Amino acid sequence: MSYQVAVLAGDGIGPEVMAEARKVLKEVEARFALNIEYAEYDVGGIAIDNHGCPLPESTLKGCEAADAVLFGSVGGPKWEHLAPNDQPERGALLPLRGHFDLFCNLRPAKLHTGLEHMSPLRSDISSRGFDVLCVRELTGGIYFGKPKGRQGEGADEEAFDTMRYSRREIERIARIAFEAAQGRSKKVTSVDKANVLACSVLWREVVEGVAKDFPDVELEHIYIDNATMQLLRRPNEFDVMLCSNLFGDIISDEIAMLTGSMGLLSSASLNSSGFGMYEPAGGSAPDIAGQGIANPVAQILSAALLLRHSLKLEEAASAIERAVSKALSEGYLTGELLSADERQNAKTTSEMGDFIANAV
Amino acid sequence: MSYQVAVLAGDGIGPEVMAEARKVLKEVEARFALNIEYAEYDVGGIAIDNHGCPLPESTLKGCEAADAVLFGSVGGPKWEHLAPNDQPERGALLPLRGHFDLFCNLRPAKLHTGLEHMSPLRSDISSRGFDVLCVRELTGGIYFGKPKGRQGEGADEEAFDTMRYSRREIERIARIAFEAAQGRSKKVTSVDKANVLACSVLWREVVEGVAKDFPDVELEHIYIDNATMQLLRRPNEFDVMLCSNLFGDIISDEIAMLTGSMGLLSSASLNSSGFGMYEPAGGSAPDIAGQGIANPVAQILSAALLLRHSLKLEEAASAIERAVSKALSEGYLTGELLSADERQNAKTTSEMGDFIANAV
Ligand SMILES: CC(C)[C@H](C(=O)O)[C@@H](O)C(=O)O
Ligand SMILES: CC(C)[C@H](C(=O)O)[C@@H](O)C(=O)O
């Protein structure tokens, strides 16, 4: 069996962390006798430079021909003067999500044992740990709802966006959240603003309906404003958080920051046929690009998610995850995860990749 | 000169903390020779019980006849089975905001010296303190935008909400944020999602325009997802945060929780003629209602904001704020702000009120 993966390394630290993910994948292929073919394409700022737009037709075609996309990160100061719509992040990510109907975004965030001190939370809260999976709807809601635009003139000129959700859209993402909860701590917290939004009232109704098919999973509803607060006080009481597109954007970033170790967080964006795009949660970090100090773990774990969800290679995925756990638990860490007086033990980007590849 | 204040104590701890605010106001009237008349009206759950709806006509009329509204808090388990639209909070607050065009919501949140340990943040972050004023647009955006509703059937049934902002609406709230910043640390952080929302692109444009009239105030823009994160890492770098209705709901609650002392936070909701509604940031806390242990400080500080913004009695307002600072700095605190081994020094709701009234 042979697989095709489109590699979109992007900008900033993207290419250097991608190199380590490729190193690890190579080991995995050898060990599990897999045949994966890679094709590289420009995306984001580098694509603007080389092709005049953040998501060139050639890149889109390359992704269409692949079984999955391994994505690095995009953006940087060079392209920040561009209009929001033309910037690397927005201009590449939203069209990719829309084009491939990647409606399901999985963002796992866990406070790793031994790394609790990285969390911005008070030590008595972080010491209890947490392990949250944010399941975010990614192709609906106010991101893609029509109409969206402007009308009128002068002081009366107004802009408008439409938040829109159908039963079908809510049901398919809710089902994924409940299925995920069954394999975890069996609790779904659905985030909405049902005291204000018509979309949230429908969201609640549909989620309640789906819950009936999962009697072993506990369901609770929470308003987005309250969710933002409760995550700060008792993050350990959440398991799966089910969110619409906009609320998931906010909640997943809050949780990511609560781990204090963005360089370890990966994410998957899937459609209903198993095709998916896999990327680190952190950004392109242009300030540290090219120095060989970026943490490649998030990119490596994104590759593991790709093997699991799109290529259905569970064993190979677990092998990578075990190798990463080994590195972290043995204190094999990049500098940003070490305190000032331990910093001399920091591993470089490629040392991390080597260690994890060997451990596979 | 005589003033009229409508008092809407509401549910849960509302009536007991309101009693302390009234006690303090009585002292202030004596000391500054003021003549304030109070009229009490039902709101929220108690209004549902007595009149069948959370905001009876009689209450609305009473507010119309007043110079300002002192609001307690509403809601509780007794009314939680009601549809979101009929619940005390939503059913009272949104119509009041809409009816009086209370477009400007001010939510100050400060980490009080000596209370840093209450913050859920890591001690090295909380020890730097923070003092943020959230300026939230309160009568526009996705809360009130039309159309809002449902259409279609079966799996295609969909719900929709409209986010809508005009230049006029953005400009008036932006101006207030910049004016407030001039009296503080001279920095405005405008929160938006301009990489996705048409409303946010217009928001940015208008805010940039208003900024030109305030050359002494620094302006920065931040995406809502990033704001949620940066508040956890470096809350001390924010001064005034300017937000649309929905983003302000989220950000103000996050900051409130970051102080760890919700019982100290007050808020003001104003219209352009100085009329306003003043309320604590916390909820009705039905679990501790009637025990005499609720913190009345937020309600007392709400009364101070009322004197300042609606009655233009700056001296009287400051006198209350100084009295509150004195109480807090002398360790005069209710139980929720004390650690387990200091809890025996906790003051009751009425002891707090007495101390602050005397200190005025
Ligand atoms: C870049 C932006 C459009 C995007 C989003 O809002 O979805 C990003 O914040 C994310 O979460 O992937
Ligand atoms: C009760 C609810 C409608 C309200 C809001 O969302 O504005 C509340 O959360 C608030 O912040 O005052």
Side-chain angles (χ1 to χ4, degrees), chain A residues 194-196 201 204-205 223, chain B residues 48 54 78-92 150:
Chain A
N195 48 357
V196 172
V201 173
R204 259 187 203 212
E205 254 178 65
Y223 294 140
Chain B
I48 295 178
K78 187 170 173 192
W79 308 280
E80 266 165 19
H81 66 280
L82 297 171
N85 269 1
D86 301 327
Q87 289 190 12
E89 268 211 288
R90 198 229 115 96
R150 284 216 199 170

mmCIF file of all heavy atoms in Angstrom, chain A residues 194-196 201 204-205 223, chain B residues 48 54 78-92 150:
data_model
loop_
_atom_site.group_PDB
_atom_site.id
_atom_site.type_symbol
_atom_site.label_atom_id
_atom_site.label_comp_id
_atom_site.label_asym_id
_atom_site.label_seq_id
_atom_site.Cartn_x
_atom_site.Cartn_y
_atom_site.Cartn_z
ATOM 1 N N ALA A 194 -26.377 30.475 24.314
ATOM 2 C CA ALA A 194 -27.799 30.259 24.036
ATOM 3 C C ALA A 194 -28.680 31.323 24.662
ATOM 4 O O ALA A 194 -29.865 31.402 24.353
ATOM 5 C CB ALA A 194 -28.227 28.871 24.506
ATOM 6 N N ASN A 195 -28.133 32.153 25.555
ATOM 7 C CA ASN A 195 -28.952 33.242 26.094
ATOM 8 C C ASN A 195 -28.956 34.458 25.167
ATOM 9 O O ASN A 195 -29.600 35.457 25.457
ATOM 10 C CB ASN A 195 -28.521 33.630 27.515
ATOM 11 C CG ASN A 195 -27.026 33.836 27.658
ATOM 12 O OD1 ASN A 195 -26.276 33.642 26.700
ATOM 13 N ND2 ASN A 195 -26.582 34.235 28.823
ATOM 14 N N VAL A 196 -28.252 34.379 24.054
ATOM 15 C CA VAL A 196 -28.223 35.513 23.126
ATOM 16 C C VAL A 196 -28.405 35.084 21.666
ATOM 17 O O VAL A 196 -29.079 35.754 20.896
ATOM 18 C CB VAL A 196 -26.903 36.307 23.264
ATOM 19 C CG1 VAL A 196 -26.783 37.355 22.176
ATOM 20 C CG2 VAL A 196 -26.798 36.959 24.640
ATOM 21 N N VAL A 201 -29.134 28.346 20.398
ATOM 22 C CA VAL A 201 -30.336 27.641 20.860
ATOM 23 C C VAL A 201 -30.510 26.368 20.028
ATOM 24 O O VAL A 201 -30.734 25.271 20.567
ATOM 25 C CB VAL A 201 -31.583 28.549 20.769
ATOM 26 C CG1 VAL A 201 -32.847 27.759 21.098
ATOM 27 C CG2 VAL A 201 -31.441 29.742 21.715
ATOM 28 N N ARG A 204 -27.801 23.800 21.011
ATOM 29 C CA ARG A 204 -28.150 23.055 22.226
ATOM 30 C C ARG A 204 -29.136 21.943 21.942
ATOM 31 O O ARG A 204 -28.986 20.814 22.416
ATOM 32 C CB ARG A 204 -28.773 23.994 23.258
ATOM 33 C CG ARG A 204 -27.808 24.389 24.327
ATOM 34 C CD ARG A 204 -28.437 25.176 25.453
ATOM 35 N NE ARG A 204 -27.325 25.915 26.045
ATOM 36 C CZ ARG A 204 -27.207 26.235 27.315
ATOM 37 N NH1 ARG A 204 -28.168 25.931 28.153
ATOM 38 N NH2 ARG A 204 -26.145 26.872 27.760
ATOM 39 N N GLU A 205 -30.168 22.290 21.163
ATOM 40 C CA GLU A 205 -31.205 21.314 20.832
ATOM 41 C C GLU A 205 -30.603 20.095 20.143
ATOM 42 O O GLU A 205 -30.869 18.959 20.525
ATOM 43 C CB GLU A 205 -32.181 21.942 19.835
ATOM 44 C CG GLU A 205 -33.513 22.335 20.405
ATOM 45 C CD GLU A 205 -34.360 22.990 19.316
ATOM 46 O OE1 GLU A 205 -34.724 22.328 18.322
ATOM 47 O OE2 GLU A 205 -34.609 24.194 19.483
ATOM 48 N N TYR A 223 -21.991 28.583 28.882
ATOM 49 C CA TYR A 223 -21.897 29.784 28.049
ATOM 50 C C TYR A 223 -20.424 30.119 27.806
ATOM 51 O O TYR A 223 -19.582 29.913 28.691
ATOM 52 C CB TYR A 223 -22.579 30.974 28.741
ATOM 53 C CG TYR A 223 -24.063 30.827 28.897
ATOM 54 C CD1 TYR A 223 -24.710 31.234 30.063
ATOM 55 C CD2 TYR A 223 -24.849 30.298 27.879
ATOM 56 C CE1 TYR A 223 -26.088 31.108 30.213
ATOM 57 C CE2 TYR A 223 -26.229 30.167 28.023
ATOM 58 C CZ TYR A 223 -26.844 30.573 29.190
ATOM 59 O OH TYR A 223 -28.206 30.448 29.330
ATOM 60 N N ILE B 48 -40.492 37.631 37.951
ATOM 61 C CA ILE B 48 -41.232 36.524 37.326
ATOM 62 C C ILE B 48 -42.259 35.992 38.335
ATOM 63 O O ILE B 48 -43.425 35.798 38.012
ATOM 64 C CB ILE B 48 -40.266 35.397 36.878
ATOM 65 C CG1 ILE B 48 -39.336 35.906 35.771
ATOM 66 C CG2 ILE B 48 -41.042 34.160 36.418
ATOM 67 C CD1 ILE B 48 -38.309 34.900 35.286
ATOM 68 N N PRO B 54 -39.648 38.897 33.745
ATOM 69 C CA PRO B 54 -38.451 39.377 34.436
ATOM 70 C C PRO B 54 -38.267 40.904 34.411
ATOM 71 O O PRO B 54 -37.511 41.437 35.223
ATOM 72 C CB PRO B 54 -37.304 38.676 33.693
ATOM 73 C CG PRO B 54 -37.851 38.272 32.377
ATOM 74 C CD PRO B 54 -39.313 38.063 32.570
ATOM 75 N N LYS B 78 -34.214 28.317 40.681
ATOM 76 C CA LYS B 78 -35.676 28.298 40.567
ATOM 77 C C LYS B 78 -36.164 28.605 39.148
ATOM 78 O O LYS B 78 -37.235 28.168 38.746
ATOM 79 C CB LYS B 78 -36.239 29.337 41.542
ATOM 80 C CG LYS B 78 -37.740 29.314 41.667
ATOM 81 C CD LYS B 78 -38.210 30.182 42.811
ATOM 82 C CE LYS B 78 -39.735 30.283 42.805
ATOM 83 N NZ LYS B 78 -40.192 31.332 43.722
ATOM 84 N N TRP B 79 -35.386 29.407 38.399
ATOM 85 C CA TRP B 79 -35.844 29.836 37.075
ATOM 86 C C TRP B 79 -35.016 29.236 35.933
ATOM 87 O O TRP B 79 -35.141 29.638 34.796
ATOM 88 C CB TRP B 79 -35.838 31.371 36.995
ATOM 89 C CG TRP B 79 -36.598 31.983 38.144
ATOM 90 C CD1 TRP B 79 -37.958 32.102 38.247
ATOM 91 C CD2 TRP B 79 -36.055 32.517 39.348
ATOM 92 N NE1 TRP B 79 -38.283 32.683 39.453
ATOM 93 C CE2 TRP B 79 -37.144 32.949 40.147
ATOM 94 C CE3 TRP B 79 -34.748 32.664 39.845
ATOM 95 C CZ2 TRP B 79 -36.958 33.529 41.404
ATOM 96 C CZ3 TRP B 79 -34.559 33.241 41.103
ATOM 97 C CH2 TRP B 79 -35.660 33.659 41.869
ATOM 98 N N GLU B 80 -34.141 28.288 36.281
ATOM 99 C CA GLU B 80 -33.243 27.748 35.252
ATOM 100 C C GLU B 80 -33.922 26.842 34.236
ATOM 101 O O GLU B 80 -33.373 26.586 33.160
ATOM 102 C CB GLU B 80 -32.058 27.012 35.901
ATOM 103 C CG GLU B 80 -30.856 27.916 36.054
ATOM 104 C CD GLU B 80 -29.808 27.359 37.007
ATOM 105 O OE1 GLU B 80 -29.820 26.155 37.276
ATOM 106 O OE2 GLU B 80 -28.977 28.170 37.486
ATOM 107 N N HIS B 81 -35.116 26.331 34.572
ATOM 108 C CA HIS B 81 -35.819 25.450 33.631
ATOM 109 C C HIS B 81 -36.469 26.258 32.507
ATOM 110 O O HIS B 81 -36.897 25.714 31.501
ATOM 111 C CB HIS B 81 -36.894 24.666 34.372
ATOM 112 C CG HIS B 81 -37.980 25.567 34.879
ATOM 113 N ND1 HIS B 81 -37.842 26.309 36.036
ATOM 114 C CD2 HIS B 81 -39.183 25.892 34.357
ATOM 115 C CE1 HIS B 81 -38.934 27.040 36.208
ATOM 116 N NE2 HIS B 81 -39.760 26.810 35.208
ATOM 117 N N LEU B 82 -36.552 27.570 32.664
ATOM 118 C CA LEU B 82 -37.197 28.398 31.646
ATOM 119 C C LEU B 82 -36.364 28.434 30.368
ATOM 120 O O LEU B 82 -35.151 28.212 30.390
ATOM 121 C CB LEU B 82 -37.384 29.831 32.172
ATOM 122 C CG LEU B 82 -38.312 29.987 33.395
ATOM 123 C CD1 LEU B 82 -38.244 31.410 33.939
ATOM 124 C CD2 LEU B 82 -39.744 29.615 33.007
ATOM 125 N N ALA B 83 -37.040 28.720 29.239
ATOM 126 C CA ALA B 83 -36.318 28.866 27.975
ATOM 127 C C ALA B 83 -35.316 30.021 28.116
ATOM 128 O O ALA B 83 -35.590 30.987 28.834
ATOM 129 C CB ALA B 83 -37.306 29.159 26.859
ATOM 130 N N PRO B 84 -34.131 29.903 27.441
ATOM 131 C CA PRO B 84 -33.101 30.946 27.562
ATOM 132 C C PRO B 84 -33.673 32.368 27.491
ATOM 133 O O PRO B 84 -33.318 33.218 28.299
ATOM 134 C CB PRO B 84 -32.164 30.654 26.388
ATOM 135 C CG PRO B 84 -32.282 29.179 26.172
ATOM 136 C CD PRO B 84 -33.684 28.810 26.560
ATOM 137 N N ASN B 85 -34.595 32.580 26.555
ATOM 138 C CA ASN B 85 -35.155 33.918 26.355
ATOM 139 C C ASN B 85 -35.957 34.458 27.527
ATOM 140 O O ASN B 85 -36.126 35.660 27.671
ATOM 141 C CB ASN B 85 -36.074 33.914 25.131
ATOM 142 C CG ASN B 85 -35.306 34.273 23.886
ATOM 143 O OD1 ASN B 85 -34.101 34.496 23.955
ATOM 144 N ND2 ASN B 85 -35.996 34.339 22.768
ATOM 145 N N ASP B 86 -36.521 33.548 28.339
ATOM 146 C CA ASP B 86 -37.385 33.977 29.433
ATOM 147 C C ASP B 86 -36.649 34.025 30.758
ATOM 148 O O ASP B 86 -37.218 34.381 31.783
ATOM 149 C CB ASP B 86 -38.567 32.994 29.582
ATOM 150 C CG ASP B 86 -39.374 32.920 28.297
ATOM 151 O OD1 ASP B 86 -39.455 33.947 27.611
ATOM 152 O OD2 ASP B 86 -39.901 31.831 27.997
ATOM 153 N N GLN B 87 -35.388 33.632 30.759
ATOM 154 C CA GLN B 87 -34.677 33.570 32.034
ATOM 155 C C GLN B 87 -34.393 34.969 32.578
ATOM 156 O O GLN B 87 -34.325 35.943 31.835
ATOM 157 C CB GLN B 87 -33.389 32.758 31.868
ATOM 158 C CG GLN B 87 -33.708 31.271 31.689
ATOM 159 C CD GLN B 87 -32.492 30.382 31.768
ATOM 160 O OE1 GLN B 87 -31.423 30.823 32.173
ATOM 161 N NE2 GLN B 87 -32.661 29.142 31.382
ATOM 162 N N PRO B 88 -34.248 35.052 33.906
ATOM 163 C CA PRO B 88 -34.102 36.350 34.557
ATOM 164 C C PRO B 88 -32.979 37.221 33.980
ATOM 165 O O PRO B 88 -33.209 38.387 33.668
ATOM 166 C CB PRO B 88 -33.787 35.977 36.009
ATOM 167 C CG PRO B 88 -34.369 34.612 36.200
ATOM 168 C CD PRO B 88 -34.271 33.935 34.878
ATOM 169 N N GLU B 89 -31.783 36.642 33.783
ATOM 170 C CA GLU B 89 -30.639 37.435 33.339
ATOM 171 C C GLU B 89 -30.880 38.060 31.977
ATOM 172 O O GLU B 89 -30.872 39.264 31.799
ATOM 173 C CB GLU B 89 -29.410 36.539 33.228
ATOM 174 C CG GLU B 89 -28.573 36.477 34.476
ATOM 175 C CD GLU B 89 -27.110 36.251 34.103
ATOM 176 O OE1 GLU B 89 -26.794 35.132 33.681
ATOM 177 O OE2 GLU B 89 -26.316 37.194 34.223
ATOM 178 N N ARG B 90 -31.079 37.189 30.987
ATOM 179 C CA ARG B 90 -31.276 37.631 29.632
ATOM 180 C C ARG B 90 -32.537 38.480 29.493
ATOM 181 O O ARG B 90 -32.541 39.531 28.865
ATOM 182 C CB ARG B 90 -31.395 36.375 28.756
ATOM 183 C CG ARG B 90 -31.183 36.621 27.303
ATOM 184 C CD ARG B 90 -32.279 36.001 26.503
ATOM 185 N NE ARG B 90 -32.993 37.078 25.879
ATOM 186 C CZ ARG B 90 -32.774 37.503 24.645
ATOM 187 N NH1 ARG B 90 -31.939 36.886 23.881
ATOM 188 N NH2 ARG B 90 -33.409 38.536 24.181
ATOM 189 N N GLY B 91 -33.632 38.003 30.135
ATOM 190 C CA GLY B 91 -34.928 38.656 29.996
ATOM 191 C C GLY B 91 -34.996 40.032 30.653
ATOM 192 O O GLY B 91 -35.867 40.838 30.334
ATOM 193 N N ALA B 92 -34.087 40.312 31.563
ATOM 194 C CA ALA B 92 -34.083 41.637 32.196
ATOM 195 C C ALA B 92 -32.984 42.515 31.609
ATOM 196 O O ALA B 92 -33.216 43.669 31.243
ATOM 197 C CB ALA B 92 -33.880 41.502 33.707
ATOM 198 N N ARG B 150 -34.784 31.393 12.618
ATOM 199 C CA ARG B 150 -34.675 30.033 12.096
ATOM 200 C C ARG B 150 -35.442 29.910 10.814
ATOM 201 O O ARG B 150 -36.422 30.618 10.603
ATOM 202 C CB ARG B 150 -35.326 29.068 13.076
ATOM 203 C CG ARG B 150 -34.492 28.824 14.267
ATOM 204 C CD ARG B 150 -34.660 27.383 14.685
ATOM 205 N NE ARG B 150 -34.243 27.249 16.057
ATOM 206 C CZ ARG B 150 -34.439 26.165 16.790
ATOM 207 N NH1 ARG B 150 -35.065 25.128 16.271
ATOM 208 N NH2 ARG B 150 -34.012 26.104 18.015
#
